[in-house]
Structure formats: structure tokens, C-alpha cells
Amino acid sequence: MVTSITSFGRSGLYDWMIQRVTAVTLAAYTIFMIGYLLVNPELDYQQWKELFECTAMRIFTLLTLLSLAAHAWIGMWSISTDYIKPTGIRFLFQSVCGLLTFIYVVWGIQILWGV
């Protein structure tokens, strides 16, 4: 069995399952947001603020943010290992992707929870 130290999961199957679970989470959030926007066509700032003051919505959004980060990381890792053959360039690409993913997650948490 060959293992990779740069993969998000323990195996290809594990990564595949994470991709599917995170895709369902992203789809559920997208459907919810589209539905909310359709039900509230005259949405103003106060309603939007009240939506995100709800703890359940913040948790759902945080779960979606983390799902997006995991989904993107696995996708970019897969693309880089398939198409970027020189090890140094691939490592640099994966490092930049990982750093940006981390920054976006921290930034998203700060926005979401007002830290």
C-alpha cells in the first residue's frame, strides 16, 4: 500500500468520501440560500443580519465554510498530483493552496463570529 503525506485523507477512498459529503453540505447550503432569497425578495440589511445572528445559521455557515475548504483542498491536491510533475513546483503549488485555504477559513470565521 502506498501512502501519501500530502493527501487530506488517509486514502483515495477516504478523500472520495470527504468530497461527496462536503459536496452534499455545499449543495444544501446553496439550496437553502437560494430558497431564502426567493422567499424574501425585498431582503434588507436588517433581515440579513438577523439571519446570521441565529446560532444555527452560524453553525451551518461554519460547517459549509469548512466543507468548502476541505472540498477545495482535495480537489486542488488531486489536480496538482495529476498534472504538475516536478516535485518542487507541485510542493510550492500545494503550499500556496494550503496557505490560502487556511487564510480564507480564518477570515471567514472572523467575519461569521465577529471575532
Side-chain angles (χ1 to χ4, degrees):
M1 173 190 256
V2 177
T3 59
S4 177
I5 59 170
T6 58
S7 176
F8 187 77
R10 293 172 281 210
S11 68
L13 178 61
Y14 189 74
D15 287 349
W16 182 86
M17 289 183 64
I18 290 174
Q19 281 286 115
R20 297 318 173 264
V21 170
T22 58
V24 169
T25 303
L26 294 169
Y29 191 82
T30 301
I31 291 167
F32 172 80
M33 290 306 293
I34 290 171
Y36 187 82
L37 293 172
L38 289 174
V39 170
N40 298 295
E42 301 294 323
L43 186 67
D44 63 4
Y45 175 76
Q46 188 61 34
Q47 288 172 304
W48 189 253
K49 184 178 174 192
E50 288 171 5
L51 173 65
F52 283 93
E53 284 178 348
C54 175
T55 303
M57 185 61 188
R58 285 184 177 183
I59 291 170
F60 188 28
T61 303
L62 179 61
L63 176 64
T64 303
L65 178 64
L66 296 174
S67 293
L68 179 63
H71 193 90
W73 170 252
I74 293 170
M76 295 310 289
W77 180 86
S78 297
I79 289 169
S80 67
T81 55
D82 286 346
Y83 297 107
I84 303 174
K85 296 305 176 191
T87 305
I89 296 171
R90 184 174 61 239
F91 177 76
L92 179 63
F93 177 81
Q94 290 174 348
S95 297
V96 169
C97 287
L99 179 63
L100 288 173
T101 300
F102 176 76
I103 289 169
Y104 290 143
V105 167
V106 170
W107 188 19
I109 291 170
Q110 286 179 332
I111 292 168
L112 185 60
W113 294 96
V115 175

